[in-house]
């Protein structure tokens, strides 16, 4: 079971950069997308996604060209859950989940607080309320992978300049403490489970040639419940994919659904 998370920073933009050829070559079982910035009715290439063997489920934001999540899957889910039941988050299309027999996969796009205090307050509220929602989901989906753009660097190793970014949204103490709590509650950072090396990032600013210099942030995760620990086969960041300011992150589970 090969799972990929990818903030595409606009699915139409990604498709224009040969994303469909990448999708075919990668041949993942489940692809979790964030920041789709589109509704499926405006996507003229969906038949090509279907031709690759994918069913697709979309949860766009109400606001056009903003936020939104989606999941592509080669396996038919027994259930699809749209949103978390909290209207302020659901109208932004923040999360979608597919349930298979013995495995659930969620795509989630955490809010950014970088635009100002109001959105940072919104982000903290999301962390509190979405964190409580995750606890409820775990009760019914114990084998759960929460894939997505968390907009948080957990530790100093996950950001290119932790000292100068100490007061930056995405690396604030309260945000990092939330990640601590998530791990303590029984979620595994699957990439760090297999790779403790520095300079592994998933997002780079468009400014100052940051990507070419690898001055990045690791803010995209495949977090798996401990019930899946023995099934973790491989985890990797895929920086060669350049359809977005983010890159995809892979999780391979020794598991069939």
């Amino acid at each position: 079971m090969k799972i990929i998370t990818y903030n595409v920073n606009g699915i139409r933009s990604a498709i224009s950069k040969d994303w469909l050829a990448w999708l075919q070559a990668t041949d993942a079982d489940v692809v979790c997308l964030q920041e789709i910035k589109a509704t499926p009715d405006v996507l003229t290439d969906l038949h090509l996604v279907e031709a690759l063997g994918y069913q697709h489920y979309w949860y766009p934001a109400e606001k056009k060209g903003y936020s939104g999540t989606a999941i592509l899957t080669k396996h038919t889910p027994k259930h699809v859950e749209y949103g978390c039941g909290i209207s302020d988050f659901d109208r932004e299309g923040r999360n979608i989940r597919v349930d298979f027999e013995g495995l659930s996969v969620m795509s989630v796009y955490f809010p950014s607080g970088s635009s100002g205090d109001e959105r940072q307050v919104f982000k903290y509220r999301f962390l509190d309320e979405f964190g409580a929602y995750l606890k409820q989901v775990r009760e019914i989906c114990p084998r759960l992978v929460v894939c997505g753009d968390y907009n948080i660097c957990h530790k100093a190793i996950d950001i290119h300049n932790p000292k100068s970014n100490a007061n930056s949204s995405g690396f604030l103490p309260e945000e990092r403490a939330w990640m601590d709590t998530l791990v303590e509650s029984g979620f595994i950072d699957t990439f760090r489970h297999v790779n403790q090396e520095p300079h592994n990032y998933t997002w780079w600013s468009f400014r100052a040639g940051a990507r070419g210099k690898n001055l990045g942030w690791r803010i995209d995760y495949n977090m798996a419940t401990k019930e899946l620990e023995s099934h973790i086969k491989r985890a990797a960041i895929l920086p060669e994919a350049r359809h977005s300011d983010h890159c995809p992150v892979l999780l391979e589970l020794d598991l069939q659904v």
Side-chain angles (χ1 to χ4, degrees):
M1 169 64 81
K2 190 190 289 187
I3 301 168
I4 283 179
T5 187
Y6 200 171
N7 177 323
V8 290
N9 192 22
I11 186 64
R12 287 173 291 183
S13 173
I15 289 172
S16 74
K17 299 170 184 171
D18 214 19
W19 181 79
L20 287 168
W22 171 86
L23 182 66
Q24 181 177 18
T26 305
D27 194 31
D29 294 281
V30 179
V31 181
C32 294
L33 303 177
Q34 303 87 41
E35 213 170 352
I36 54 172
K37 296 183 178 180
T39 53
D41 59 289
V42 302
L43 300 177
T44 59
D45 296 308
L46 284 182
H47 66 287
L48 299 175
V49 172
E50 293 165 0
L52 296 176
Y54 287 105
Q55 300 170 47
H56 44 90
Y57 304 93
W58 303 83
Y59 195 48
E62 292 178 5
K63 181 181 175 181
K64 298 293 184 184
Y66 175 73
S67 186
T69 50
I71 295 179
L72 315 182
T73 172
K74 290 191 173 183
H75 307 273
T76 302
K78 64 178 186 178
H79 175 72
V80 181
E81 186 73 19
Y82 296 89
C84 61
I86 301 169
S87 60
D88 284 349
F89 309 149
D90 289 351
R91 66 170 59 101
E92 296 187 354
R94 290 286 166 187
N95 69 293
I96 182 174
R97 187 185 86 235
V98 290
D99 297 334
F100 307 105
E101 197 62 50
L103 179 69
S104 296
V105 181
M106 183 185 295
S107 178
V108 58
Y109 178 37
F110 282 54
S112 170
S114 59
S115 64
D117 291 345
E118 183 179 343
R119 288 303 288 181
Q120 187 63 41
V121 169
F122 184 83
K123 184 177 185 179
Y124 284 141
R125 185 183 150 213
F126 181 89
L127 295 179
D128 287 344
E129 297 185 24
F130 186 76
Y133 169 73
L134 273 186
K135 290 180 182 177
Q136 297 172 6
V137 173
R138 283 192 67 185
E139 293 178 7
I140 58 171
C141 307
R143 300 212 298 184
L144 172 67
V145 184
V146 181
C147 310
D149 175 2
Y150 284 56
N151 266 312
I152 300 171
C153 287
H154 186 191
K155 297 184 178 179
I157 194 176
D158 298 318
I159 191 168
H160 74 90
N161 196 336
K163 290 185 179 178
S164 67
N165 283 299
N167 295 314
S168 298
S169 176
F171 196 58
L172 296 173
E174 298 91 340
E175 297 169 326
R176 297 171 65 194
W178 188 90
M179 292 295 293
D180 287 336
T181 300
L182 185 67
V183 171
E184 288 162 7
S185 76
F187 277 92
I188 299 164
D189 179 343
T190 55
F191 178 76
R192 284 292 175 221
H193 187 72
V194 301
N195 188 325
Q196 295 295 325
E197 296 300 313
H199 314 303
N200 283 290
Y201 307 124
T202 66
W203 173 83
W204 302 263
S205 170
F206 283 128
R207 296 190 294 270
R211 191 158 188 172
K213 300 170 189 173
N214 197 30
L215 304 178
W217 300 41
R218 190 176 74 95
I219 57 176
D220 302 88
Y221 301 81
N222 294 311
M223 302 292 289
T225 54
K226 282 194 174 293
E227 287 86 345
L228 291 167
E229 183 172 9
S230 64
H231 296 283
I232 297 171
K233 183 178 179 182
R234 180 178 171 229
I237 291 170
L238 309 176
E240 68 281 0
R242 290 176 173 258
H243 314 94
S244 167
D245 50 349
H246 294 250
C247 76
V249 184
L250 166 75
L251 170 63
E252 198 166 340
L253 297 173
D254 183 15
L255 198 66
Q256 299 292 325
V257 297

